[in-house]
Amino acid sequence: MKDYITHCEWKVIEKEFNPDYNRISESLFSIGNGHAGQRANFEEKYSGDSLQGNYIAGVYYPDKTLVGWWKNGYPEYFAKILNAANWIGIHINIEGEDVDLATADIHEFRRELDMRTALLKRTFVASLPSGKKIEVEAKRFLSVKDQEIGAIQYRLKSINFTGQVEVTSFIDGDIVNEDSNYDEKFWDEIFKEKRGNEVYLGMETRKTMFHVFNGQYTRLSVNGKEKDIESKSVGSEKFIGSVFQLKLKEGEELLVEKYAAITNSLYYSKEDLGKRVSLAVKRAAEKGFDQLFVEHAAVWTQKWETSDIQIEGDVAAQQGIRFNIFHLMQTYTGDDERLNVGPKGFTGEKYGGVTYWDTEAYCLPFFLATAPQKVARNLLIYRHKHLQKAIENAQKLGFKGGAALYPMVTINGEECHNEWEITFEEVHRNSAIAYAIYNYINYTGDKEYLAPYGIEVLLAISRFWSQRVNWSEDKQAYVILGVTGPNEYENNVNNNFHTNNMAVWTLKYTLESIEYVKKEYPYLFEEMIQKWRFNEIMETNRWKDIIEKMYLPYDEKRQVYLQQDGFLDKELISASFLNQDESPINQNWSWDRILRSCYIKQADTLQSFYWMQEDYDNEIIERHFDFYEPLTVHESSLSPCIHAILAAKIGRQDKAYEMYLRTARLDLDDYNNDTEDGLHITSMGGTWMSFVEAFGGMRVIDGKLHLNPFLPDSWKSYSFRINFKGAHLEIKMKDALEIINHSDIKIPIYVWGERYELTKNQSLKLNKQIV
């Protein structure tokens, strides 16, 4: 754990430069706009350790799988969102010396990210080796209003010298991915051009043949007066820039303005890209930094109006929740159903920037409650578009008859995860996708999604479970063998409770959905029978038999469901007895030792209890929480949120608060010693869940909104906002609870078990429940 980020309600602030933490800060201060993301790299040269990173949504490379032992059905590649051309470069040379914080003497340094407006600002005062002293202020943003544009203002003031300054403003496409399996470069240059103070670079990805065009316009001013300087061209393979030379006097301030544009072949024909990027550059330059920023900031104001969470009395918690909300909103905007939410978003290379089951389990609830309904719907449409690929994935593993296994990792619907115990075994992901359909419909009331989208996905997933089980003569029950549950510290186990339990739930929900579609959309149901060759009687009878006779491992003595067969053969020692220097165990223990241990990476059995809360009373949930949580090391970023919600459910308010702080500040405080690889974007959805569902006690039961809020002892108050079935609600918790309906829609709501009705624009005040 690290504690160098200043606590501040609306900003992320670093007050001094520590080279050892630079990669962490590059992750923390990343900016994005849903279509592109940029790590907080320096504009000027930096010869120290850094992970240069600019990522374009949807643009990927199929990096050939690197394995020691090939197995049938193994993915041929791991898809990676590529590190794309560096567009922020502004190198400064003063009389032969580069401005480089790795070699300079730094007197003052401050880096801050304003989360209200997604503006990254950095200031420093430094002396070059020659003694020349400079003061620098750099500001930049990626426009969320005009998602093809980024803008930079870079100010440099001479403190104690008069001398010749050379400014090189460039685009560098000679980029590598540090995680390349075979140290390959993934880009080829196809176009390069300089027009006055504009430069353009066109690149093409190898194999996938995406085209990405970058353009920039650079303008210089001294003491507020624009300088008419003829720039020279500098270029090499995959690199182009403009070089400006001028004399800067002591006390003068140089301003470099850089307007950049990025276009790609996902949105335009390849023949049209050159024209489009040129238009975007001109559009940005004509508006200028200030107007572009005003338009950009206005969109962010709208985003915060429907998603902000306010905490009074705990600045660390306040900063943490806003940090998580901010990065979720700048990673995914929901305007393109081909895009999704990668575990690291656009903040690093780890996990390839592609889609996991994290989206359905942890991100969907946030977008359901804070964004227009189409945003969440597009996350579901993304999976429906990949249905045929999911069927092909199942076929590769020997499944037939339209069974679908959704990939553990994908960008285009094909499985591309390169670890066998995940690729072949972590099949519980299928049920997460089914649950997301239920979650969406339960929350929005949009049952029309079932016909035809949802029902087709549910049918294919249920066909998978029907084939994945087998009958055990010994147990006289159906079993599921050779799996990995959410706890990836166990591999190739039999009868993982969560996997078996959610398979049963999926079959039940599919049967219910079929009955609904048959009744409400009989013509679509007939079309489905023909399209998917659905033998209703035969297939549904088998599903019902599986539901009735599925084996769920259970210990009568402890009265708990067991994580898997044989779990009690392990030596059950609480994680509290682990030595501090052994944590995290995934960085200090051998894999053999981890697999033999009882330690749990993240909620596994408890994941089922979280999703199925209404099926169990608090006594049962508490019994399972007390058995499994002490064995959990929370070394997955997805772990604390589920435990926070369940702790609140059973009245463990202090534990809920402890788990909330861990998830909210996971990256800000680098809990797991891995923030340098990028932020844990998908777990940030879990942070939002842990606040709204733990402290707010929010749950949607049979389509009705329920609240069971409490106020942590260290807070004076909190408030959050949600959209629910067309209404926009503000929930405030202080000495009393206040719910404000900021809409014209009448809505029923259950608070502490009592039913109330909120009419349009009504405020409801209730006394705080004594817990």
Side-chain angles (χ1 to χ4, degrees):
M1 179 176 172
K2 300 173 182 64
D3 186 21
Y4 74 97
I5 297 298
T6 300
H7 292 181
C8 178
E9 291 185 348
W10 274 109
K11 293 182 178 180
V12 182
I13 301 171
E14 179 183 23
K15 288 186 175 179
E16 61 182 25
F17 182 59
N18 183 339
D20 292 337
Y21 293 168
N22 187 45
R23 286 195 178 214
I24 298 172
S25 294
E26 288 176 339
S27 298
L28 293 175
F29 292 84
S30 295
I31 57 174
N33 62 9
H35 283 227
Q38 173 68 53
R39 283 173 62 84
N41 310 117
F42 299 159
E43 290 85 0
E44 74 276 357
K45 177 182 177 182
Y46 182 66
S47 59
D49 185 42
S50 171
L51 174 58
Q52 183 71 44
N54 173 48
Y55 309 97
I56 312 297
V59 175
Y60 70 97
Y61 178 84
D63 199 10
K64 185 179 178 182
T65 301
L66 184 65
V67 292
W69 178 22
W70 193 270
K71 301 171 182 64
N72 289 334
Y74 215 80
E76 295 182 358
Y77 65 89
F78 191 96
K80 293 173 179 176
I81 297 290
L82 295 185
N83 197 344
N86 173 19
W87 63 273
I88 66 170
I90 302 174
H91 285 188
I92 309 292
N93 184 280
I94 302 174
E95 295 195 324
E97 285 184 296
D98 288 328
V99 175
D100 180 353
L101 291 186
T103 59
D105 184 9
I106 303 172
H107 308 295
E108 299 174 22
F109 181 92
R110 183 182 177 94
R111 178 161 35 189
E112 66 178 47
L113 175 61
D114 187 340
M115 294 182 286
R116 281 172 294 199
T117 59
L119 178 69
L120 176 61
K121 179 180 176 181
R122 180 171 57 99
T123 59
F124 64 85
V125 177
S127 294
L128 306 184
S130 65
K132 295 181 179 66
K133 193 173 184 180
I134 57 173
E135 181 179 335
V136 170
E137 178 192 78
K139 296 191 294 185
R140 72 173 183 250
F141 64 93
L142 276 167
S143 175
V144 73
K145 172 68 174 179
D146 190 336
Q147 293 170 307
E148 296 174 348
I149 290 173
I152 302 172
Q153 281 189 341
Y154 191 94
R155 300 177 187 271
L156 182 146
K157 184 177 181 180
S158 165
I159 303 298
N160 65 354
F161 68 90
T162 296
Q164 197 72 14
V165 176
E166 183 176 271
V167 178
T168 304
S169 177
F170 63 86
I171 305 167
D172 183 8
D174 192 19
I175 298 298
V176 298
N177 269 56
E178 283 195 355
D179 66 349
S180 170
N181 285 341
Y182 295 91
D183 297 324
E184 294 178 278
K185 291 186 177 181
F186 303 140
W187 295 95
D188 290 320
E189 178 188 312
I190 55 174
F191 171 79
K192 183 164 55 186
E193 184 179 10
K194 182 178 186 297
R195 307 174 204 154
N197 290 346
E198 300 174 25
V199 297
Y200 297 92
L201 180 67
M203 303 293 291
E204 180 182 68
T205 60
R206 296 176 181 175
K207 294 186 180 179
T208 46
M209 312 298 281
F210 289 105
H211 284 193
V212 177
F213 276 45
N214 286 71
Q216 69 174 39
Y217 172 80
T218 308
R219 181 162 55 216
L220 272 61
S221 305
V222 175
N223 287 350
K225 184 177 180 181
E226 186 173 342
K227 303 290 287 185
D228 185 14
I229 302 173
E230 185 178 346
S231 63
K232 298 179 181 178
S233 177
V234 60
S236 58
E237 185 181 3
K238 307 179 188 178
F239 180 98
I240 189 169
S242 298
V243 180
F244 302 84
Q245 293 182 334
L246 72 158
K247 188 174 183 179
L248 195 64
K249 296 178 181 178
E250 183 176 333
E252 287 186 330
E253 181 182 82
L254 167 67
L255 169 62
V256 182
E257 293 180 290
K258 181 170 181 174
Y259 302 99
I262 307 172
T263 60
N264 70 75
S265 55
L266 276 174
Y267 299 100
Y268 302 113
S269 69
K270 293 178 180 179
E271 295 74 22
D272 205 27
L273 277 180
K275 175 184 176 182
R276 292 291 184 170
V277 73
S278 179
L279 289 172
V281 168
K282 288 177 169 58
R283 188 165 69 243
E286 287 172 3
K287 287 186 175 182
F289 190 93
D290 291 341
Q291 184 180 344
L292 286 171
F293 180 69
V294 167
E295 294 173 355
H296 161 80
V299 177
W300 271 102
T301 298
Q302 293 173 359
K303 286 178 176 286
W304 282 113
E305 282 177 355
T306 60
S307 64
D308 189 27
I309 290 177
Q310 297 181 20
I311 300 171
E312 183 185 8
D314 190 336
V315 177
Q318 176 67 87
Q319 182 186 46
I321 191 62
R322 282 187 173 139
F323 180 78
N324 285 264
I325 293 170
F326 168 77
H327 278 288
L328 282 166
M329 290 193 296
Q330 73 168 1
T331 299
Y332 184 74
T333 57
D335 56 2
D336 187 341
E337 61 195 24
R338 296 171 297 179
L339 305 180
N340 208 282
V341 187
K344 295 289 185 182
F346 304 119
T347 68
E349 297 176 9
K350 193 172 182 181
Y351 303 121
V354 289
T355 306
Y356 286 64
W357 67 284
D358 305 18
T359 295
E360 284 76 18
Y362 303 98
C363 296
L364 180 66
F366 170 78
F367 292 109
L368 275 172
T370 64
Q373 185 173 314
K374 68 175 184 179
V375 173
R377 200 173 199 267
N378 276 347
L379 287 174
L380 271 63
I381 291 291
Y382 177 90
R383 293 295 193 179
H384 181 265
K385 281 180 170 292
H386 290 173
L387 176 56
Q388 189 56 47
K389 289 288 187 182
I391 291 171
E392 293 172 12
N393 290 334
Q395 288 172 344
K396 291 176 184 177
L397 302 185
F399 294 89
K400 301 174 182 179
L405 175 59
Y406 275 90
M408 185 68 181
V409 176
T410 192
I411 193 168
N412 60 7
E414 289 184 307
E415 176 65 76
C416 63
H417 200 282
N418 55 12
E419 295 174 1
W420 67 268
E421 66 274 16
I422 307 301
T423 304
F424 300 149
E425 294 195 342
E426 203 162 338
V427 292
H428 69 86
R429 62 196 187 244
N430 248 11
S431 292
I433 290 161
Y435 185 82
I437 296 171
Y438 161 80
N439 202 6
Y440 168 80
I441 293 171
N442 188 41
Y443 195 96
T444 65
D446 180 17
K447 277 197 167 185
E448 289 185 0
Y449 180 77
L450 279 174
Y453 301 118
I455 194 65
E456 292 187 335
V457 172
L458 291 170
L459 171 63
I461 291 175
S462 293
R463 284 174 160 177
F464 171 84
W465 287 126
S466 181
Q467 295 179 47
R468 188 59 173 81
V469 304
N470 64 271
W471 178 256
S472 167
E473 285 293 335
D474 179 64
K475 290 181 169 59
Q476 287 294 293
Y478 288 100
V479 296
I480 303 179
L481 310 178
V483 300
T484 296
N487 172 27
E488 293 170 344
Y489 289 175
E490 300 273 7
N491 300 148
N492 201 35
V493 302
N494 295 335
N495 297 308
N496 170 260
F497 170 78
H498 176 69
T499 303
N500 290 24
N501 189 48
M502 290 308 299
V504 167
W505 178 89
T506 301
L507 294 173
K508 287 181 179 178
Y509 183 57
T510 303
L511 289 170
E512 293 173 13
S513 300
I514 286 171
E515 290 305 311
Y516 173 80
V517 174
K518 281 174 65 177
K519 179 181 177 182
E520 299 296 331
Y521 303 96
Y523 61 96
L524 287 176
F525 183 71
E526 289 301 319
E527 287 181 5
M528 186 187 78
I529 288 175
Q530 298 302 318
K531 179 180 179 181
W532 297 105
R533 298 180 181 178
F534 178 45
N535 188 325
E536 182 184 0
I537 295 175
M538 184 182 73
E539 294 191 59
T540 58
N541 281 344
R542 177 167 170 81
W543 299 348
K544 292 172 184 177
D545 197 47
I546 294 169
I547 291 168
E548 181 185 348
K549 299 172 183 175
M550 177 68 82
Y551 170 72
L552 299 173
Y554 188 77
D555 177 43
E556 293 288 350
K557 178 181 177 182
R558 296 173 176 82
Q559 291 189 298
V560 294
Y561 288 103
L562 298 177
Q563 184 175 274
Q564 75 263 347
D565 286 351
F567 187 77
L568 293 181
D569 291 334
K570 294 174 178 287
E571 191 175 9
L572 303 180
I573 303 173
S574 170
S576 63
F577 290 102
L578 285 169
N579 293 327
Q580 192 65 34
D581 58 4
E582 292 183 286
S583 297
I585 62 173
N586 63 20
Q587 296 178 20
N588 292 285
W589 284 14
S590 69
W591 197 245
D592 169 75
R593 187 179 179 189
I594 289 173
L595 291 175
R596 289 186 287 108
S597 80
C598 66
Y599 298 122
I600 300 169
K601 181 182 179 184
Q602 69 187 77
D604 192 307
T605 302
L606 293 182
Q607 181 73 41
S608 269
F609 277 85
Y610 162 67
W611 273 339
M612 304 292 110
Q613 287 177 51
E614 286 67 56
D615 292 347
Y616 306 99
D617 62 35
N618 275 13
E619 182 182 349
I620 294 174
I621 295 174
E622 185 172 25
R623 193 158 60 241
H624 284 81
F625 188 91
D626 287 342
F627 182 70
Y628 285 108
E629 197 282 328
L631 305 177
T632 305
V633 289
H634 303 293
E635 290 178 6
S636 165
S637 64
L638 303 172
S639 185
C641 64
I642 300 301
H643 290 85
I645 295 165
L646 290 179
K649 171 82 171 175
I650 59 177
R652 308 277 181 86
Q653 295 181 1
D654 289 344
K655 187 67 176 179
Y657 181 72
E658 173 198 335
M659 289 289 100
Y660 164 75
L661 278 187
R662 180 160 181 163
T663 183
R665 299 194 62 85
L666 178 75
D667 287 313
L668 285 169
D669 296 335
D670 195 19
Y671 267 96
N672 288 347
N673 197 32
D674 60 359
T675 303
E676 65 180 26
D677 299 326
L679 305 178
H680 298 84
I681 300 297
T682 49
S683 80
M684 291 175 174
T687 301
W688 180 89
M689 287 163 49
S690 69
F691 187 101
V692 173
E693 297 184 27
F695 307 135
M698 189 183 89
R699 192 80 178 157
V700 179
I701 304 172
D702 295 329
K704 301 295 190 296
L705 182 63
H706 291 246
L707 295 173
N708 186 29
F710 74 91
L711 183 68
D713 292 338
S714 60
W715 296 356
K716 296 179 181 178
S717 70
Y718 68 73
S719 67
F720 62 92
R721 290 172 176 255
I722 58 168
N723 300 316
F724 185 73
K725 296 188 176 177
H728 182 67
L729 306 179
E730 183 178 5
I731 294 91
K732 297 181 177 181
M733 187 68 179
K734 197 170 185 178
D735 297 324
L737 172 69
E738 182 178 12
I739 306 171
I740 305 169
N741 183 2
H742 294 285
S743 70
D744 293 333
I745 296 175
K746 181 180 179 181
I747 187 166
I749 185 170
Y750 293 77
V751 183
W752 293 314
E754 297 293 325
R755 187 182 189 277
Y756 302 88
E757 284 207 353
L758 278 173
T759 59
K760 62 181 183 179
N761 300 308
Q762 180 192 5
S763 175
L764 172 68
K765 289 188 177 181
L766 299 170
N767 289 328
K768 180 181 177 182
Q769 187 191 49
I770 304 300
V771 180

